[in-house]
Amino acid sequence: MTSVSGEQGRPPCVRSPFQGRSCSITGVGSYVPARVLRNADLERMVDTTDQWITTRTGIKERRLAAENEFTSDLATEAARRALQHAGVPPEAVDLIIVCTITPDMPFPATACLVQARLGATRAAAFDLEAACSGFLYGLEVGQQFVISRTYDTVLVIGAEKLSSIIDWKDRNTCVLFGDGAGAVVLQHRPHSHGLLTTVMGADGTRADALCMPGGGSRCPASTVSVAARLHYLRMDGRETFKNAVTAMHRAAEEALKRCGLRVEDLRCIIPHQANRRIIDAVAERLGARPDQVFVNVDRYGNTSAASVVIALDEAVKSGRIRKGDYVMLVAFGAGLTWAAAVLEW
Ligand code: UT7
């Protein structure tokens, strides 16, 4: 373990035991589509109320991509903003990872479409699928290329057009989700500790709790699968809720332990934005103060792989996170999957 404490008054902090250089987020950006779908609009679509949605989830509105706007479009715009923030031209990017469960099409990878749109001609490109934990999985994969000196500049993007897989007749799910994208640029920044640790986990025995049954090799698209509405997201809400609170809490505790930090050392905790009640329950279990926890689920709903990185962008651009702050990112999603990361901004 490498001690990275130093400045006076700062808590001791231990970086994960890896060989190699550090990896920092040197730019962040996000993009949400213009169209707003409010709870009042949903009241006219399914048997629901603003009161139910607000009290059970904390969501007031979400964004929807236009019909001719796809995941690659959202991803490209978020990536442009992150590159601009980092001061990095697209030609300098070595690798693009797009984390998504709503790729433009099963193949080729959405990352390749983004590579072409950005003009990132030198970059390798692939997609990564870990549902709502996708961005944090992507962050860990991307940083491995930087710390190992394989690549200097990696773009990690979380992007979703979830409205394309939502059953707009199912009130259990259609009120929860939204579209959007966020991106970070990963590079080695001298004299900065950057990402301190990442914890990842999965439990495939609970894959049925949250899934889209149709469209893969198990159930290719057919008139039967379409009629059975198998190409829409399905969720056992209560089961997912319970597992989300437990797994996010455990991953967050483990990440803190690995870097020798306490919850009070964190300036900002950015949880996956699925449900305000999940966020509050995780914060309470961690013993975090409300002012440490970043919340924007009220404005965007659950944007899956995009949620943590959109929130990170808003926290940074609004001054909630400043240079040298310790920040925790924590997420949970289909798989089941979960992940937590601690970084020094
Ligand atoms: O991003 C990946 C992770 N995703 C999550 O973490 C989401 C996890 N789950 C949740 O956020 C919550 O479970 C939900 C928001 C989905 C549901 O909240 P809940 O408190 O767990 O409600 P419930 O599933 O226990 O349902 C309570 C009632 C049911 O009626 P009955 O069966 O008790 O008569 C539902 O039919 O609420 C009903 N209901 C609704 N009522 C009005 C479900 N959806 C709606 C709705 N409007 N939109």
Side-chain angles (χ1 to χ4, degrees):
M1 300 287 246
T2 319
S3 172
V4 294
S5 78
E7 288 169 49
Q8 245 184 357
R10 308 260 297 164
C13 182
V14 174
R15 194 193 304 155
S16 290
F18 59 73
Q19 298 291 313
R21 59 185 175 174
S22 65
C23 173
S24 295
I25 295 175
T26 58
V28 58
S30 67
Y31 171 77
V32 291
R35 188 174 154 208
V36 179
L37 185 74
R38 299 192 171 83
N39 291 349
D41 302 317
L42 283 157
E43 286 179 349
R44 291 189 284 276
M45 295 161 65
V46 287
D47 180 17
T48 193
T49 59
D50 171 44
Q51 206 240 347
W52 190 95
I53 303 170
T54 306
T55 54
R56 305 311 291 163
T57 73
I59 301 165
K60 297 299 282 182
E61 59 187 46
R62 66 291 288 143
R63 299 301 181 98
L64 296 190
E67 246 172 66
N68 62 351
E69 193 175 28
F70 311 114
T71 297
S72 62
D73 299 312
L74 311 181
T76 301
E77 190 49 39
R80 280 197 184 117
R81 293 176 185 190
L83 288 170
Q84 195 174 29
H85 187 224
V88 169
E91 314 84 64
V93 177
D94 297 305
L95 173 66
I96 299 172
I97 305 173
V98 172
C99 312
T100 187
I101 55 168
T102 50
D104 280 27
M105 46 192 139
F107 72 90
T110 299
C112 295
L113 309 178
V114 172
Q115 187 247 24
R117 294 277 303 283
L118 287 175
T121 44
R122 288 181 50 246
F126 64 85
D127 287 0
L128 184 154
E129 200 273 271
C132 305
S133 312
F135 174 71
L136 284 180
Y137 269 59
L139 202 59
E140 170 66 2
V141 172
Q143 79 144 341
Q144 294 296 335
F145 287 101
V146 175
I147 64 181
S148 64
R149 295 183 157 82
T150 307
Y151 292 131
D152 289 327
T153 303
V154 177
L155 197 48
V156 181
I157 306 168
E160 303 283 9
K161 184 178 178 177
L162 290 169
S163 57
S164 66
I165 58 163
I166 293 304
D167 184 346
W168 292 104
K169 291 187 169 155
D170 177 12
R171 71 173 183 171
N172 290 293
T173 52
C174 76
V175 303
L176 304 174
F177 297 94
D179 302 333
V184 294
V185 178
L186 298 181
Q187 293 175 309
H188 169 64
R189 182 190 276 151
H191 316 299
S192 176
H193 301 121
L195 278 154
L196 298 170
T197 196
T198 310
V199 174
M200 300 193 297
D203 178 3
T205 66
R206 293 190 164 125
D208 289 348
L210 179 49
C211 64
M212 188 173 86
S217 61
R218 187 184 293 199
C219 179
S222 68
T223 49
V224 176
S225 72
V226 171
R229 308 183 85 72
L230 298 183
H231 300 276
Y232 293 124
L233 175 157
R234 288 182 176 185
M235 179 169 71
D236 177 341
R238 277 179 217 182
E239 176 75 1
T240 310
F241 189 111
K242 213 172 51 195
N243 283 288
V245 174
T246 309
M248 285 167 81
H249 171 236
R250 284 202 191 132
E253 291 279 15
E254 174 64 20
L256 283 173
K257 197 169 90 189
R258 283 196 199 173
C259 34
L261 290 174
R262 298 158 306 172
V263 71
E264 52 267 40
D265 299 324
L266 300 169
R267 170 76 67 188
C268 194
I269 300 170
I270 301 185
H272 171 47
Q273 310 282 317
N275 184 320
R276 178 70 202 235
R277 290 188 295 135
I278 295 177
I279 295 171
D280 290 346
V282 173
E284 193 187 314
R285 287 191 186 192
L286 278 172
R289 299 185 314 272
D291 65 281
Q292 288 177 288
V293 184
F294 192 87
V295 179
N296 65 6
V297 70
D298 51 320
R299 286 179 289 127
Y300 303 130
N302 182 347
T303 58
S304 193
S307 104
V308 167
V309 61
I310 292 174
L312 175 66
D313 185 41
E314 291 196 339
V316 169
K317 305 284 167 66
S318 65
R320 281 278 293 272
I321 298 174
R322 300 222 172 82
K323 194 172 177 330
D325 286 344
Y326 290 125
V327 178
M328 168 176 283
L329 315 176
V330 56
F332 175 87
L336 301 174
T337 56
W338 56 87
V342 178
L343 54 98
E344 188 191 279
W345 190 254

